[in-house]
Amino acid sequence: SARFSESLRAYFPQLVVEKRLRWDDVATEVDIAFLCGECLYLIECKHSLTATDPHEMRDLWRDIRKGVSQIQRGMSILQVAERRRTFLKAWFRELEVDQIDCLRICGAVLSSHRLFSGLDLEGVAIRDYASLTRLVDNGTIGMGTPMEDGTIVMKVFRIREASELGCADIANYFSPDSKIHRFHAHSMVGQHTFQQFGPLTIVRESFAYQIDPDDWTDYMEHQGYVRLPDQIITQA
């Protein structure tokens, strides 16, 4: 998270890391807090084992639930004007009191896995490190199509509103209707497995990520993403 926080700081310099919050008997800690427009984002980073069985899936969900609880405690502390002023004046000395009072507080858990990314749990956004890093680092996404001559044509789209990362991009990413998570959902195809046990039928539902390059391109253009020049990749 240290490298990521420095990348984020390049766009939003009012950023602090590993801050403890305590008031009366309520205490917590957030990994990243940064100002973006009129919003203060509190982010808790969770790095979990890759879930390969039900027990590890439970552990991953437990880590996320723990992160949500941490963020909720932080948000509850900062909802009170007196407390908010006390902490934020210490974190961001250049802020005026009226600026602090106008801030909205948004919370998120940043997971090392995409499994639950896109959910919003009890007012806290669940997002993943990889997609946010892509938005912050270069702001593009591409889809490659192999050609007969052995090269790959990479169709590239900008996933930011403008060439530079802005507050509108951050706000959309952490919103319940995040555009980045919508284009992943577009390619999710339902998969159903039926198991018969006498008169009882059990249906297991899952999803497969299937992409048709032409359909994906049409979808990205329809959603208003700016298409950048294609990249030609020559295989070694």
Side-chain angles (χ1 to χ4, degrees):
S1 61
R3 190 190 72 82
F4 170 73
S5 63
E6 288 307 308
S7 298
L8 196 59
R9 196 194 304 273
Y11 294 97
F12 310 109
Q14 293 172 305
L15 180 150
V16 293
V17 297
E18 298 180 359
K19 289 298 181 180
R20 294 181 178 180
L21 291 158
R22 177 183 291 275
W23 202 275
D24 295 332
D25 59 346
V26 180
T28 190
E29 182 176 333
V30 295
D31 290 322
I32 300 172
F34 72 98
L35 294 174
C36 182
E38 296 183 350
C39 188
L40 170 68
Y41 289 92
L42 305 179
I43 299 179
E44 179 64 24
C45 301
K46 293 298 180 187
H47 298 276
S48 310
L49 292 174
T50 302
T52 59
D53 62 28
H55 296 289
E56 290 173 354
M57 183 78 74
R58 179 198 61 194
D59 293 342
L60 173 56
W61 182 247
R62 182 183 61 194
D63 288 345
I64 288 175
R65 291 290 313 189
K66 181 180 179 181
V68 168
S69 178
Q70 289 175 264
I71 292 297
Q72 286 177 327
R73 291 197 298 273
M75 293 173 73
S76 69
I77 290 172
L78 295 177
Q79 287 297 343
V80 178
E82 177 190 359
R83 302 172 185 175
R84 183 187 306 195
R85 294 168 186 170
T86 298
F87 285 104
L88 296 195
K89 282 298 289 184
W91 296 356
F92 312 109
R93 297 183 183 278
E94 67 277 13
L95 283 186
E96 300 294 336
V97 171
D98 59 341
Q99 293 176 293
I100 293 174
D101 291 344
C102 292
L103 288 173
R104 293 182 297 109
I105 303 175
C106 302
V109 173
L110 199 61
S111 173
S112 54
H113 298 284
R114 294 181 178 180
L115 190 59
F116 298 108
S117 187
L119 294 178
D120 285 80
L121 189 61
E122 300 174 9
V124 177
I126 312 302
R127 299 294 185 264
D128 67 283
Y129 176 82
S131 63
L132 184 54
T133 298
R134 178 174 293 277
L135 179 67
V136 172
D137 281 356
N138 59 34
T140 65
I141 189 170
M143 177 65 63
T145 301
M147 309 303 289
E148 292 182 357
D149 62 0
T151 61
I152 295 175
V153 176
M154 184 71 70
K155 298 176 181 178
V156 182
F157 288 85
R158 191 181 72 207
I159 56 176
R160 300 172 180 167
E161 288 196 3
S163 57
E164 291 292 315
L165 182 67
C167 289
D169 299 306
I170 295 296
N172 181 270
Y173 179 82
F174 287 112
S175 74
D177 195 32
S178 168
K179 289 176 64 177
I180 287 180
H181 292 86
R182 282 209 307 272
F183 67 64
H184 286 305
H186 174 73
S187 299
M188 300 299 287
V189 180
Q191 304 289 311
H192 307 282
T193 302
F194 297 87
Q195 289 183 285
Q196 194 74 37
F197 297 92
L200 179 65
T201 301
I202 296 179
V203 182
R204 299 178 182 271
E205 183 179 32
S206 184
F207 294 89
Y209 194 55
Q210 298 178 355
I211 301 176
D212 177 273
D214 292 331
D215 177 63
W216 181 83
T217 300
D218 291 342
Y219 173 80
M220 296 294 285
E221 291 177 343
H222 179 73
Q223 292 297 311
Y225 289 101
V226 176
R227 184 167 177 178
L228 303 178
D230 292 349
Q231 298 177 5
I232 308 298
I233 299 175
T234 303
Q235 296 178 309

